[in-house]
Amino acid sequence: MSQLRFEALKKLNERGKVHVEPIDPNISKFFGENVFGMEQMRATLAPAVFKKVSNAIKNHEKIDEATADAVASAAKSWAIGKGATHFTHWFQPMTGGTAEKHDSFFDALAGIERFKGSELVQQEPDASSFPSGGIRSTFEARGYTAWDPTSPMFLYGKTLSIPTIFVSYTGETLDTKSPLLKALKAVDQAATQVCQLFDKDINHVVASLGGEQEYFAVDKALANARPDLVMAGRTVFGHSPARGQQLEDHYFGTIPSRVYDFMRDFEIECWKLGIPVRTRHNEVAPSQFEVAPLFEEVNVANDHNQLMMDVISRVGDKHNLKILFHEKPFAGLNGSGKHNNWSLITDTGVNLYAPSSSARDNLLFLTFFITTIKAVHEHADLLRASIATAANDFRLGANEAPPAIMSAFIGAQMTAVLDELEKKGNVKIEKGDNMYMKLGIDQIPEIILDATDRNRTSPFAFTGNKFEFRAVGSSDNCGTPMTALNLIVADQLTKFYESVSKEIEKGEEKRIAIVNVLRQYIKESKAIRFEGDGYSDEWVKEAEKRGLSNIKNMPRAIDAYLSKKSLELFEKHGVLSHKEVEARNEIKLESYIKKVQIEARVIGDLAMNHIIPTAIAYQNKLITNANGLKGLGVDNAAVVQTIKEISEHIEIIKNGIRQMVEERKRINKIADTHKRAIAYCDDIKEKYFDSIRDSVDKLELLVDDEDWPLVKYRELLFLR
Ligand code: ADP
Ligand code: MG
């Protein structure tokens, strides 16, 4: 039984070095060479056509047929010139990941290559097997993908890939990109309106995202010898190794050479695809790493993140590495997240979350800063819902991951600024030798932020010139949390504008009106601000006192989408209809149920077919040994004790699995999806997963290492 494990270990030991092409250090020479974006359009389209396309993109407008034809023709020539034979609409269904269906440029009937504007703009993939949450019954198999011109086309393999949205035949959106685009439009409009209170030259505000992607890289042969990693993306069993992350020697340590080669390889491919990867380093847990690109406009950044995950998996495979994007592949070690660094930037180049030395700009900064905190306070439950997934449940609140309680960390200096502004409008700021500055109408404080002011325990932290939404899971599509965040900020900015306008109408001076509303917001949103240790038990108690929610699991967390407040918010800004929100929740619950079901089966299968037979076989060896000792008149009490312990664990495992199967039969009959998901959460996952695991992991310590069937943590995490 342990054969598979030892064969995998042998394979690992025999691995040679994978060849890596030498790289041209002038990355600028090949950066974006596989992208058909603005630059290529400018170069290949007639100036008038290009102007139409770029205006449409900037102003969220439709592109007419003739323009689409011209773009399609140029894209086709470009792609074929680079060896492409096919094109595909590339979209992001609710299942997570990306989907594509390839069509060839070659038209056999006509005997030529062609690509019409209509094919660029719209396609009709058979949508019947994508989840729709009941919006579209399966017999009505039609759904549409529609070109998103705001994200550049790219050549992937031999296929021209066109970023698209995905909608049902009846017009409801079935993907993560459509609501995101709508939320981004909402935040552009709301933020621009507020900016114009300060600067009439600002005509657009773009939301930007820089995602820090964490992942584990383990040897492919070892990973493939673990059915749980193959089926569920995480280990359901495995005793902690003697050495975990306690030495704290992995973080920022030297990158192992095999992983380094893999990183260089995937970075090159990313650069060719125009993905601006920049930072790479080890993470806290052994075999855990991070890659971070430079920030970009949110929609493009998210497409790039989705594409990058695919590139990383493929290149990993070439290097015989299995890349784990799961939020919690290993118990007892840090999980993986995808910190979403986010800010709003004007078309005049001002980062609205960057404090500056100019008084006027600082009031603008404070406006956006305080309004954002207020939005997080108002819609904390929605933000929590937006990062809820089955996998993230294992991570949130465990081993140095942000807790499931939403709060915002702003740092000591911003706390001082807000406290002073709230009290009297005077602000004392450390600058040189403790300069005292008056905040208020004529003078806005000079805020110089100390960038070292960091708190890694907060799910939503201000980091000097941007907010960092840290609770997002590593395997998640950022579209969902980014939709929520941009939408709640858009809504709060709209309300801010209305309140300020009212005060101005009443005759208040503009800047006084602004400060008055901000003061109000500071008062109202205090409960969401937390500067302490988010991992501590005290915070759990304190948060409860403050009335903040602590929703530990996904099926309950996503209820927030269906609250009156959330539904109104989505509808008011035209982001999602009531029906769409309901359908999405239904899809998420169904997927949650399936994931817990799969894990329960994997646990049952591994325990019954691998662990228990191994334990019994080992126990039989011990029985022979005990009898032998007894025959010789030697004390065998220790061996007998081990035999008993093994029996006890086998009993616990067997009973657990049997009861779990019975429970599943009962739960599967529950008609209501929500109730079924809750039952899977409480009565399967919570009740049995850990208790069964506990006994399996104890057996791992009792049974002879030579006999153990599953690749051990120390092998997965430390061998390369
Ligand atoms: P950290 O110390 O958290 O690793 P970095 O400065 O390395 O911070 O940045 C992390 C990510 O934040 C990068 O992707 C970076 O491009 C992004 N980032 C920096 N400034 C902004 C901004 N104004 N808006 C959005 N993302 C940003
Ligand atoms: Mg960070």
Side-chain angles (χ1 to χ4, degrees):
M1 195 114 38
S2 55
Q3 206 182 333
L4 197 60
R5 172 173 159 228
F6 287 103
E7 272 172 13
L9 288 169
K10 188 159 168 268
K11 225 182 229 169
L12 167 79
N13 284 326
E14 288 166 355
R15 286 207 193 291
K17 212 171 147 64
V18 174
H19 175 72
V20 187
E21 289 294 331
I23 170 187
D24 183 342
N26 294 306
I27 295 154
S28 54
K29 276 196 197 150
F30 63 90
F31 184 79
E33 71 175 32
N34 290 338
V35 180
F36 188 76
M38 279 303 190
E39 264 174 56
Q40 288 73 15
M41 286 201 222
R42 194 197 304 273
T44 51
L45 296 173
V49 178
F50 175 73
K51 201 162 170 223
K52 268 191 185 167
V53 178
S54 60
N55 279 343
I57 290 171
K58 209 164 42 201
N59 301 321
H60 315 279
E61 284 161 2
K62 279 212 166 55
I63 288 176
D64 63 58
E65 213 181 303
T67 309
D69 270 329
V71 175
S73 165
K76 182 197 72 182
S77 306
W78 173 82
I80 290 177
K82 292 177 95 45
T85 53
H86 287 67
F87 68 93
T88 182
H89 275 200
W90 182 79
F91 58 104
Q92 297 165 31
M94 297 291 295
T95 37
T98 56
E100 48 199 73
K101 177 185 145 223
H102 298 191
D103 284 300
S104 70
F105 287 122
F106 180 63
D107 179 340
L109 266 183
I112 50 163
E113 275 78 22
R114 58 160 130 223
F115 184 43
K116 293 188 292 241
S118 56
E119 291 172 305
L120 165 67
V121 170
Q122 187 173 321
Q123 288 280 299
E124 234 178 287
D126 177 359
S128 54
S129 46
F130 290 106
S132 66
I135 279 178
R136 168 182 40 65
S137 39
T138 26
F139 59 85
E140 189 191 282
R142 280 194 288 175
Y144 299 114
T145 50
W147 177 34
D148 165 20
T150 61
S151 183
M153 297 179 229
F154 56 93
L155 185 69
Y156 202 39
K158 297 280 174 230
T159 305
L160 173 69
S161 302
I162 302 151
T164 55
I165 58 160
F166 181 39
V167 293
S168 79
Y169 178 52
T170 42
E172 282 89 8
T173 58
L174 293 173
D175 67 347
T176 49
K177 187 191 260 277
S178 318
L180 176 64
L181 288 173
K182 291 174 183 171
L184 292 172
K185 183 176 169 184
V187 85
D188 177 2
Q189 287 170 345
T192 302
Q193 194 179 36
V194 170
C195 283
Q196 289 199 347
L197 289 170
F198 298 83
D199 182 352
K200 293 279 177 215
D201 287 342
I202 295 172
N203 290 311
H204 280 291
V205 173
V206 171
S208 60
L209 166 66
E212 297 165 67
Q213 177 72 55
E214 294 177 337
Y215 60 90
F216 280 84
V218 298
D219 185 82
K220 186 164 78 178
L222 299 190
N224 286 342
R226 292 270 325 205
D228 47 358
L229 277 183
V230 175
M231 308 293 288
R234 73 175 185 106
T235 56
V236 296
F237 303 140
H239 200 280
S240 299
R243 175 180 152 193
Q245 60 195 46
Q246 68 272 53
L247 291 179
E248 294 172 348
D249 55 351
H250 192 252
Y251 192 56
F252 282 180
T254 330
I255 298 170
S257 71
R258 188 173 162 201
V259 177
Y260 178 76
D261 284 351
F262 145 75
M263 285 176 170
R264 279 179 71 95
D265 239 9
F266 86 65
E267 285 169 354
I268 294 169
E269 194 162 338
C270 284
W271 285 324
K272 287 183 182 167
L273 286 162
I275 305 171
V277 289
R278 179 141 189 256
T279 309
R280 53 163 116 99
H281 61 80
N282 290 357
E283 261 302 326
V284 176
S287 284
Q288 192 186 27
F289 305 94
E290 179 183 301
V291 51
L294 200 69
F295 67 91
E296 298 177 279
E297 186 275 324
V298 173
N299 175 44
V300 174
N302 188 43
D303 282 359
H304 277 166
N305 178 255
Q306 290 292 307
L307 183 57
M308 183 180 77
M309 286 166 77
D310 197 70
V311 172
I312 290 178
S313 296
R314 284 178 198 227
V315 176
D317 194 65
K318 180 182 147 198
H319 287 259
N320 299 308
L321 290 168
K322 172 85 181 165
I323 307 306
L324 307 173
F325 286 116
H326 194 286
E327 280 71 1
K328 193 76 179 173
F330 302 101
L333 296 176
N334 270 22
S336 299
K338 179 148 49 199
H339 296 177
N340 279 208
N341 293 274
W342 171 89
S343 71
L344 294 172
I345 299 173
T346 68
D347 58 353
T348 55
V350 176
N351 175 356
L352 293 164
Y353 293 102
S356 89
S357 50
S358 128
R360 188 189 70 169
D361 290 351
N362 259 344
L363 188 56
L364 180 62
F365 158 71
L366 285 173
T367 295
F368 277 84
F369 183 84
I370 294 165
T371 306
T372 303
I373 301 293
K374 167 81 173 155
V376 173
H377 177 258
E378 285 297 301
H379 296 284
D381 286 354
L382 183 61
L383 276 187
R384 166 68 184 93
S386 76
I387 48 117
T389 62
N392 217 6
D393 278 2
F394 290 105
R395 165 183 173 252
L396 294 179
N399 266 79
E400 315 227 333
I405 308 164
M406 287 298 127
S407 67
F409 168 86
I410 63 171
Q413 282 171 297
M414 283 312 296
T415 301
V417 172
L418 263 51
D419 286 350
E420 282 302 314
L421 179 55
E422 180 194 349
K423 268 187 250 147
K424 36 187 192 305
N426 291 328
V427 175
K428 193 180 175 187
I429 292 288
E430 303 276 329
K431 199 217 157 205
D433 34 5
N434 280 0
M435 225 166 97
Y436 188 79
M437 291 198 135
K438 205 172 151 216
L439 173 90
I441 314 316
D442 300 323
Q443 282 154 293
I444 299 299
E446 190 164 323
I447 304 167
I448 312 277
L449 284 180
D450 176 6
T452 57
D453 197 358
R454 288 290 184 106
N455 179 334
R456 302 220 157 254
T457 67
S458 176
F460 192 79
F462 181 64
T463 49
N465 61 356
K466 62 190 188 289
F467 279 98
E468 194 169 328
F469 193 8
R470 299 211 183 100
V472 183
S474 49
S475 69
D476 214 356
N477 183 313
C478 307
T480 308
M482 278 293 117
T483 299
L485 179 59
N486 286 288
L487 175 61
I488 65 172
V489 171
D491 191 60
Q492 199 61 54
L493 287 168
T494 311
K495 287 181 177 148
F496 172 83
Y497 183 82
E498 285 161 9
S499 302
V500 169
S501 303
K502 252 185 224 149
E503 292 225 6
I504 293 173
E505 269 164 38
K506 275 192 248 155
E508 194 59 278
E509 199 267 330
K510 186 167 79 182
R511 279 177 299 173
I512 298 181
I514 290 169
V515 170
N516 285 346
V517 178
L518 292 181
R519 277 195 179 137
Q520 188 66 28
Y521 282 6
I522 294 173
K523 282 198 192 93
E524 290 165 352
S525 61
K526 247 190 214 159
I528 205 73
R529 276 160 49 196
F530 179 62
E531 302 291 302
D533 180 1
Y535 299 157
S536 66
D537 295 335
E538 292 78 62
W539 170 229
V540 176
K541 283 181 215 139
E542 162 76 15
E544 198 181 332
K545 258 192 236 150
R546 293 190 191 183
L548 302 179
S549 319
N550 182 6
I551 312 168
K552 294 220 174 61
N553 48 60
M554 180 274 200
R556 289 180 174 89
I558 65 169
D559 283 347
Y561 272 106
L562 287 164
S563 72
K564 195 164 165 273
K565 199 174 175 183
S566 300
L567 287 171
E568 277 172 10
L569 177 73
F570 280 110
E571 291 202 319
K572 176 177 160 195
H573 297 275
V575 171
L576 288 170
S577 69
H578 190 147
K579 190 175 163 192
E580 285 172 316
V581 176
E582 262 180 9
R584 270 158 202 271
N585 265 29
E586 188 80 6
I587 292 170
K588 287 179 186 165
L589 292 172
E590 288 285 359
S591 133
Y592 179 87
I593 291 166
K594 280 182 200 147
K595 284 187 177 141
V596 181
Q597 241 169 12
I598 290 170
E599 294 202 351
R601 285 195 198 122
V602 170
I603 289 171
D605 189 42
L606 278 181
M608 299 307 280
N609 300 327
H610 299 247
I611 307 299
I612 291 182
T614 305
I616 291 176
Y618 181 63
Q619 204 181 30
N620 284 336
K621 283 192 203 168
L622 293 182
I623 291 170
T624 311
N625 176 256
N627 286 336
L629 290 173
K630 199 177 166 196
L632 293 169
V634 179
D635 179 18
N636 65 3
V639 185
V640 172
Q641 179 55 32
T642 309
I643 293 171
K644 278 188 192 154
E645 273 178 47
I646 292 178
S647 286
E648 281 163 20
H649 289 307
I650 290 177
E651 270 308 296
I652 294 173
I653 297 168
K654 269 192 174 165
N655 283 337
I657 305 276
R658 193 175 37 77
Q659 288 167 15
M660 196 164 74
V661 171
E662 288 308 312
E663 277 291 83
R664 266 158 50 206
K665 283 187 196 153
R666 172 185 71 81
I667 295 168
N668 287 341
K669 293 198 190 97
I670 301 174
D672 180 79
T673 319
H674 189 261
K675 289 197 179 115
R676 200 161 68 247
I678 297 275
Y680 260 101
C681 174
D682 295 351
D683 303 338
I684 300 291
K685 190 188 117 198
E686 294 296 329
K687 204 157 154 196
Y688 295 106
F689 281 16
D690 281 349
S691 64
I692 293 172
R693 173 179 196 138
D694 188 57
S695 277
V696 172
D697 291 355
K698 294 254 163 60
L699 283 176
E700 185 181 324
L701 291 186
L702 290 171
V703 171
D704 187 351
D705 184 60
E706 288 287 313
D707 298 334
W708 194 252
L710 295 177
V711 177
K712 295 191 169 181
Y713 267 27
R714 61 157 198 269
E715 294 158 345
L716 281 166
L717 293 164
F718 289 98
L719 297 184
R720 267 171 219 115

